[in-house]
Amino acid sequence: MNGLQALFKVRETYIGIVITIAFQIIFFSVWMTAYDGINDRTDNLKIGLISEDTEMGQQVVNEITATLPFTLENYTSLDKAEQALNRRDIHMIIHIPSDFTSQLQAGKEAEIIYAINQANASIAKNMMEGIAKQVTEEINHNIYPLQQGKTIEAFSQKFSQLPMEQNTAQINEAVATTIMSVKDRAINSTIIKTNNVEAFAANFVPLMVIISSFVGAMVMIMQHQQAAQLVQHTISKWQLFRARQLINIGVAFALPLLTIALMHLFNISSQVNFLSVYLLQALMFWAFLCLAQAFIIIFGNLGMIFNICALSMQLVTSGALVPQAMLSDFYNKLASLLPATYGADGYFTIIFGGSTDNLMSDCSSLGMIIAVTLTISTIVVALKKSKVQSEREQIVPATIQ
């Protein structure tokens, strides 16, 4: 009982209990509100349409536009559509080749080509594959009556060319030949998976890196805060602040070496060069450290509650689990302010491939977050009195007396 009483006299005991409760409340509140109504926002996902066939192909595009519950963008150039797909501006391309009508008229199977970028959240990739199959089935269903009508027309022409004295066997042969040309499945689909990686575990690398990096940053900053409280009476606040920043920078730029080594150890290949992976991981971890540090410097130990909020919000808004387009406007706007968004996007490019312009943009955004959070922390430190200074002010009057 003495031990229990001693622990409950320490403020940190209560803080630990509060943090445990906060984890439950915050995660439930953030995740349930962020993912509520996701199925109602599938129309925010983007699909690119391009038809090189101006006849039946254009009719198919019109049908798709009228029926699919997604944001559809028409492209006149396949190259431009592929570039947009590679940048993850769209989630899938539906491409109708130039020989679409001629293949159908010749009684052959026409083809629709679907390109799906694998450098996306799994839910988006699976949804696009399902849509590709659904579109093909619906087009086949709609094309079949048209094919029947054309078959009847072709049969009538053949029948009209036969002389009246022609025997029944020849008429039956003409009918059978024409009917056999009608196919209930005249259109096939080809799904091309761009930026594809066979390793199933690769799909979870962006999420795993975000969780491990931010949780590591939270714990490190909390431990450094406790260390700072022990030495704050012996050194000035600016010496302490500078020392903490040097440690943050040192760890941030050393950690990528471990991350890259672990990726190699578990056979996770990179689609970009070593320097790009190193720079993104270093900036992401530094941004995590600066964000976690800002809350701790502003609120002290209670800043851990805000860091738990930041962890939960970053997991749901990063795009690693669910595409940001399917989130509500509030969480969509929030995502642009959090470093995990750019970390996840960068790791999709690293693991699966894609436009290197995206990677440079992600690094720039992380740099801006670092600058803003460091500025906030510096201002807060400037406004607070140094413990050394406070103690000196208390000692001086006492000495005079």
Side-chain angles (χ1 to χ4, degrees):
M1 290 296 292
N2 290 337
L4 193 62
Q5 289 175 351
L7 283 175
F8 276 107
K9 288 179 181 178
V10 180
R11 186 183 62 173
E12 280 71 19
T13 302
Y14 295 97
I15 291 175
I17 296 171
V18 169
I19 287 174
T20 301
I21 296 170
F23 255 108
Q24 292 282 322
I25 295 172
I26 291 169
F27 267 72
F28 262 87
S29 301
V30 172
W31 285 61
M32 297 308 291
T33 54
Y35 291 158
D36 183 46
I38 273 185
N39 291 333
D40 299 328
R41 290 189 288 271
T42 54
D43 56 340
N44 292 338
L45 296 179
K46 294 181 179 180
I47 296 176
L49 293 176
I50 178 167
S51 176
E52 295 175 331
D53 183 274
T54 56
E55 299 179 52
M56 295 188 71
Q58 192 57 48
Q59 293 178 24
V60 168
V61 167
N62 294 338
E63 288 180 13
I64 292 173
T65 304
T67 56
L68 275 189
F70 294 96
T71 300
L72 303 174
E73 296 187 8
N74 288 293
Y75 290 88
T76 55
S77 165
L78 183 59
D79 287 340
K80 289 183 179 179
E82 288 175 344
Q83 288 173 12
L85 184 70
N86 211 31
R87 293 194 304 267
R88 293 191 285 278
D89 294 336
I90 56 178
H91 295 85
M92 179 170 69
I93 297 173
I94 300 178
H95 173 212
I96 300 174
S98 56
D99 62 349
F100 187 81
T101 299
S102 60
Q103 290 289 93
L104 289 175
Q105 289 176 342
K108 300 178 181 178
E109 291 183 346
E111 185 180 43
I112 297 179
I113 302 170
Y114 303 88
I116 303 172
N117 191 350
Q118 299 299 292
N120 275 301
S122 294
I123 189 173
K125 294 184 284 190
N126 294 336
M127 190 177 292
M128 290 300 111
E129 286 190 44
I131 290 301
K133 293 174 183 177
Q134 177 188 331
V135 166
T136 305
E137 291 299 324
E138 289 182 359
I139 293 174
N140 269 308
H141 179 73
N142 295 333
I143 288 288
Y144 187 57
L146 295 176
Q147 290 289 91
Q148 283 182 317
K150 289 190 175 184
T151 300
I152 293 171
E153 181 182 344
F155 167 71
S156 300
Q157 290 176 355
K158 286 185 179 182
F159 187 75
S160 63
Q161 292 170 1
L162 292 174
M164 292 301 296
E165 64 273 10
Q166 194 71 271
N167 59 45
T168 306
Q170 289 178 307
I171 295 175
N172 289 339
E173 183 183 351
V175 172
T177 302
T178 309
I179 290 176
M180 287 297 292
S181 67
V182 181
K183 297 179 179 178
D184 61 349
R185 187 176 180 83
I187 299 169
N188 279 330
S189 63
T190 298
I191 297 178
I192 299 173
K193 296 182 178 181
T194 65
N195 301 322
N196 191 36
V197 174
E198 293 298 331
F200 179 75
N203 292 284
F204 300 99
V205 170
L207 179 64
M208 179 271 297
V209 172
I210 288 170
I211 293 174
S212 61
S213 296
F214 191 73
V215 172
M218 285 171 56
V219 174
M220 175 176 155
I221 291 298
M222 198 64 201
Q223 292 301 312
H224 287 182
Q225 176 68 6
Q226 292 175 3
Q229 289 172 346
L230 294 174
V231 301
Q232 63 186 348
H233 301 282
T234 59
I235 59 176
S236 72
K237 64 180 182 181
W238 290 116
Q239 287 177 319
L240 186 57
F241 183 70
R242 282 195 296 269
R244 292 179 70 170
Q245 303 324 302
L246 288 173
I247 292 173
N248 288 349
I249 293 170
V251 174
F253 283 86
L255 185 69
L257 299 175
L258 175 61
T259 306
I260 294 169
L262 288 171
M263 286 173 61
H264 281 288
L265 178 64
F266 291 100
N267 298 318
I268 302 297
S269 59
S270 170
Q271 305 300 319
V272 299
N273 58 49
F274 171 87
L275 185 60
S276 297
V277 182
Y278 179 86
L279 182 62
L280 179 83
Q281 176 61 35
L283 290 174
M284 183 179 72
F285 192 65
W286 191 11
F288 283 157
L289 287 170
C290 290
L291 179 64
Q293 174 184 256
F295 288 124
I296 294 296
I297 287 178
I298 295 169
F299 301 105
N301 290 337
L302 288 176
M304 193 67 175
I305 302 295
F306 292 92
N307 280 329
I308 295 170
C309 288
L311 171 63
S312 184
M313 288 178 178
Q314 288 186 105
L315 290 179
V316 299
T317 62
S318 65
L321 287 172
V322 173
Q324 291 173 1
M326 297 177 71
L327 300 175
S328 64
D329 289 340
F330 169 76
Y331 284 101
N332 235 321
K333 291 175 182 176
L334 182 64
S336 63
L337 305 176
L338 299 173
T341 300
Y342 308 103
D345 188 73
Y347 265 97
F348 274 127
T349 303
I350 289 169
I351 302 301
F352 296 93
S355 174
T356 53
D357 292 341
N358 282 17
L359 200 58
M360 293 301 101
S361 176
D362 292 329
C363 289
S364 299
S365 299
L366 289 169
M368 290 180 64
I369 291 172
I370 291 167
V372 171
T373 50
L374 265 179
T375 300
I376 293 171
S377 296
T378 304
I379 292 171
V380 173
V381 170
L383 294 174
K384 288 183 176 180
K385 275 192 175 183
S386 171
K387 288 291 182 180
V388 174
Q389 181 184 352
S390 299
E391 289 177 358
R392 285 175 181 171
E393 290 175 353
Q394 291 173 359
I395 292 171
V396 170
T399 306
I400 292 173
Q401 291 175 1

